[in-house]
Each structure stands twice: as C-alpha cells, then as structure tokens.
Amino acid sequence: MSAEVAVDGPDRKKKKRGHLAALVLARGGSKGIPLKNIRALAGKPLIAWVLRAAIDCGHFDSVWVSTDHDEIEKVAKQYGAKVHRRSPEVSQDATSSLETIQEFLKHHPEVDIVGNIQATSPCLHPNDLIKVVDLIQNQGYDSVFSVVRHHLFRWKEVKAGETTVAENFTPARRPRRQDWKGELHENGSFYFATRELLTKGLLQDGKLAYYEMKPEHSVDIDIDLDWPIAEQRVKRYGYFGKNPTVVKLLVCNVDGCLTDGRIYVNQEHELISYSLRDVDGIRMLLDKDVQVRLLSERDISKTLVSNLNLPCLIEANVSNKKEVVERWMGELGLSSWSQVAYMGCSYSDVECLKLAGTRGVPGDACTAVKMMDSFVCQHGGGYGAIQEFADHVITLMETGR
C-alpha cells in the first residue's frame, strides 16, 4: 500500500462504481475576499488552477462548478467546466458545503460519486487526483479526504490563572523534528464520497481513507494575507499544464539581474560585481540548448564580457529592448514570444515581460515587474537570481508544468 494512503479495512479491488463528478463550489458572495474564486493568482483566476488539474487528470466523467454568479460561470466555462447554477437557498453565508453538494445531486441523478475539490487549493496536481480516484473507483473506498503532515506541539487551552499541559508531547522530552513523525491534519483540498453517504449527510464514513498530500502542494487561501504566500507557492510548486514549456531563448537584463545594480567608482574606473552562481545558471541553460542573450541600457565594459567567458551575445546601449529581442528571435528563427524566457527588474523591462512566455524577476526588482505574472526569485540581482530562474525554467521544460 502506498505510504500516502491509510485505510481502515483490507484492500480489495472492485470494478468501476459509476459516474464520478468533480465538483468545485464557488459562491459569489465571499465576505473574506470578494469574488476570490476568480481573482487572479499567478496570472490566472484562482478557480482555474484546480479546474485544470481536474480536467487534465482525465479520470472524471464530468467536471462541474456550482455557483450563483454570472462572472464565475463565465470563467468556469472558459476553463472547460460545466456549470450548475445553485439556488439562493444554498448560496447563503451559513450554507454548508454538504448542503450545496446535496442540492447538486438532486439535479444530477447520473452522478454516483462526488469529488468535492476546493477552489482555494491552487497547488493541486492531477497525479494526486488520479491516485484518489483509484482508491474510490477501483479499491472500494466510500470516502477519501486530503491531509497534510504537521510537526506542531499542541497545548491545552485553559482559562487565565490555570496551568496548561502539553497535549501531544512530553515537555521534558521534546522530540526533534527528525525523530517525530508529526500528525495528520485535514487540509481541505478535497473530499470524495459516494452519493449514498452524501445524501445521508455524511462526508466521511463507510470504508474510509485519507490521502496525504505533500506539504508544498498543501495551500489554502482564506484571507488576503494568504494571497502573496499562495502566489509564490503556486509559482514554485503549482501544476502548469500537460504540455511541456518550450524555451529556446533566454534574455536577461544585465543591470540589476546579472549585477546588483550598483556601480563602484574610483578616480579611473567604474566597477560592478556579479555572482559566479549566475554564470553557472547561464551555463545550465546553454547545456539544455537554450540560447542566452544579455542586454544593457549602459555601455558594458569589455572586461565584463571577457570575464564571463560565455558563448552568449551581449548588446550594450539598448534603448528599445523589445526591438532587440525580436531581432534576436528572427536570427534564431523564432516566430513566437512563447518560446522566449525574459528576466528583468526595471520599468523598461515591463513590455518584454508582458510578451515573454516565461518571465522572471529578482527578489529586489521594482514593484511594477513584481506585480506581473512572473516568477519572483528569492535572491536579489547579482546574488544568484539568474541561477534560481534558470532552475525554474529547466524545471518547467523537464516536468511539463
């Protein structure tokens, strides 16, 4: 049995049990974040991330969004889902997910099993869903839900003046993380259950299993403070689609990406610094047959060019970056910006970043480029940002994300 799954009964294979529907609940009246289900996250509506995972999984007989809002309906259909218009009675603040699912089942008698997937879990991957579908369709489980492992010490809540006690460890023998398996917690990413259980008012019962998700894929968005954290997690660990990313050309702004943007001046020379890690990152891309071009708005020193010792073109005194990139694309026979990865850090990079198929910015880039649908590096310019972005580009190409 997979380490990702725990069960309460013996395994036994069964034939497919009936129509399995993925169902995403997306009410329009969220009070915490208005219309959060279609708010842009890493360049796509929040709900689009789970819909893509469910559809690309290929194991659902139908994929639905239950909503009461016209704009959510429009986005759901745009990303390939069917839409169930829920009634006002199950669109209230106090309406439970279970009540909404039960209403859906009343209108769709063909559905035998529901996979309720939370729109607020944007790091969900098709492979996780495929494994869960196998459990409930072929191995006979009646309900399966997602969990994540936490290593958190819990203490009993008490009134002021009372003495608290530890609930899941002994304070005198605090375990090290590597010596403690931790505990499993529901993460709310999905709940699968048969029609029979759901109509009885049960999400978890019968032959029951949990599915343990990787911590990096366990993301939930509840309030605004969750948004920037979720966005960075999605950019690093999210599912980006079946088709592998194809990058033929990477263009990087020298000023503020390869360098830290500072100039050191003495009486005779201007000096700049760069990281050897970034040079290694460029070499990694060259080894993957990705052409690399560097550009600068300044007059780049010939000494820098020779010190890099890289077989890549560098163009200085660039006033129109888009024009230069498109000239390079023509020289390489590239007809689409979708095959271009661009790394920039300043306002003059915005136009090229908008066009590029893959985008990256250093951690200390200006706000305008950070707010775009770009991979935001943890490292700053001149301190390994290019190597970090190169790793990201290679991951996209190799994993089909």
Side-chain angles (χ1 to χ4, degrees):
M1 176 170 47
S2 167
E4 295 170 313
V5 179
V7 300
D8 64 353
D11 290 340
R12 62 181 186 274
K13 292 286 183 180
K14 287 190 175 182
K15 294 181 179 179
K16 185 175 176 180
R17 302 166 70 184
H19 186 112
L20 170 61
L23 178 63
V24 181
L25 307 181
R27 188 170 64 94
S30 172
K31 294 294 189 290
I33 307 176
L35 287 181
K36 70 177 178 181
N37 294 306
I38 55 173
R39 179 175 167 180
L41 179 78
K44 297 188 181 302
L46 176 61
I47 198 173
W49 293 99
V50 295
L51 289 178
R52 176 155 57 186
I55 290 169
D56 285 359
C57 155
H59 283 56
F60 291 102
D61 298 296
S62 58
V63 177
W64 293 85
V65 170
S66 168
T67 187
D68 60 338
H69 198 277
D70 292 343
E71 283 301 310
I72 296 176
E73 177 176 358
K74 180 179 177 181
V75 171
K77 290 179 177 178
Q78 178 186 347
Y79 284 91
K82 298 180 179 181
V83 172
H84 168 74
R85 289 298 295 230
R86 65 170 73 175
S87 67
E89 289 73 26
V90 294
S91 301
Q92 307 303 313
D93 290 342
T95 303
S96 69
S97 296
L98 182 57
E99 290 173 309
T100 310
I101 297 170
Q102 288 175 329
E103 190 220 37
F104 170 81
L105 287 173
K106 288 179 181 177
H107 288 85
H108 298 281
E110 77 279 5
V111 175
D112 301 295
I113 306 166
V114 173
N116 174 214
I117 301 172
Q118 302 298 310
T120 52
S121 299
C123 275
L124 185 63
H125 280 242
N127 285 342
D128 291 322
L129 294 173
I130 290 170
K131 293 173 184 175
V132 174
V133 170
D134 178 66
L135 287 172
I136 204 159
Q137 281 282 32
N138 302 320
Q139 297 188 40
Y141 294 100
D142 300 308
S143 51
V144 184
F145 61 97
S146 58
V147 299
V148 66
R149 191 175 299 271
H150 287 311
H151 294 77
L152 301 174
F153 296 136
R154 290 187 288 105
W155 291 83
K156 183 179 180 181
E157 184 177 354
V158 296
K159 297 179 180 179
E162 296 179 347
T163 299
T164 188
V165 294
E167 293 192 324
N168 65 342
F169 74 106
T170 303
R173 297 192 298 276
R174 293 173 66 94
R176 300 183 306 165
R177 180 184 178 92
Q178 58 266 40
D179 297 330
W180 182 38
K181 291 181 64 177
E183 297 179 324
L184 297 178
H185 295 252
E186 286 188 27
N187 67 355
S189 187
F190 55 76
Y191 297 86
F192 283 60
T194 62
R195 170 185 282 271
E196 181 181 4
L197 288 180
L198 293 167
T199 52
K200 290 179 180 178
L202 299 168
L203 276 175
Q204 297 153 305
D205 201 34
K207 185 182 179 186
L208 180 63
Y210 64 73
Y211 180 85
E212 184 178 349
M213 291 178 62
K214 295 178 180 179
E216 59 266 30
H217 293 167
S218 182
V219 177
D220 185 46
I221 300 175
D222 186 36
I223 58 176
D224 259 326
L225 289 176
D226 298 328
W227 210 269
I229 298 171
E231 191 150 43
Q232 288 305 305
R233 292 275 289 277
V234 168
K235 288 174 181 176
R236 280 176 166 77
Y237 305 115
Y239 171 69
F240 286 77
K242 284 182 175 180
N243 298 323
T245 300
V246 177
V247 175
K248 295 293 185 181
L249 170 65
L250 179 132
V251 179
C252 178
N253 184 1
V254 170
D255 313 316
C257 293
L258 180 65
T259 74
D260 61 6
R262 293 186 293 178
I263 299 174
Y264 306 87
V265 182
N266 61 22
Q267 291 182 344
E268 299 180 0
H269 303 288
E270 289 186 354
L271 303 175
I272 61 175
S273 66
Y274 63 87
S275 171
L276 292 177
R277 287 180 294 171
D278 288 331
V279 176
D280 287 340
I282 293 173
R283 288 199 178 101
M284 287 163 47
L285 291 167
L286 292 170
D287 288 342
K288 297 292 183 180
D289 295 323
V290 177
Q291 296 292 315
V292 178
R293 301 285 188 269
L294 306 175
L295 49 72
S296 172
E297 296 176 70
R298 303 181 65 256
D299 184 12
I300 302 175
S301 165
K302 293 182 180 179
T303 304
L304 170 64
V305 176
S306 60
N307 281 343
L308 289 176
N309 192 27
L310 292 169
C312 58
L313 295 179
I314 302 178
E315 186 153 335
N317 298 313
V318 175
S319 59
N320 188 325
K321 294 179 179 178
K322 176 176 177 287
E323 184 178 278
V324 172
V325 175
E326 289 182 340
R327 169 160 51 82
W328 284 335
M329 290 168 59
E331 292 169 358
L332 295 171
L334 305 181
S335 59
S336 170
W337 275 83
S338 65
Q339 294 177 299
V340 177
Y342 190 95
M343 187 169 202
C345 61
S346 65
Y347 293 102
S348 61
D349 294 308
V350 168
E351 185 177 22
C352 290
L353 284 166
K354 285 181 178 178
L355 294 168
T358 307
R359 311 173 258 282
V361 300
D364 56 357
C366 73
T367 302
V369 297
K370 273 189 171 181
M371 295 301 291
M372 300 177 64
D373 179 19
S374 299
F375 177 83
V376 180
C377 298
Q378 294 181 340
H379 296 89
Y383 291 92
I386 294 178
Q387 184 186 59
E388 188 178 345
F389 184 50
D391 282 332
H392 175 65
V393 170
I394 291 170
T395 298
L396 293 180
M397 291 194 297
E398 292 182 345
T399 63
R401 290 172 48 195

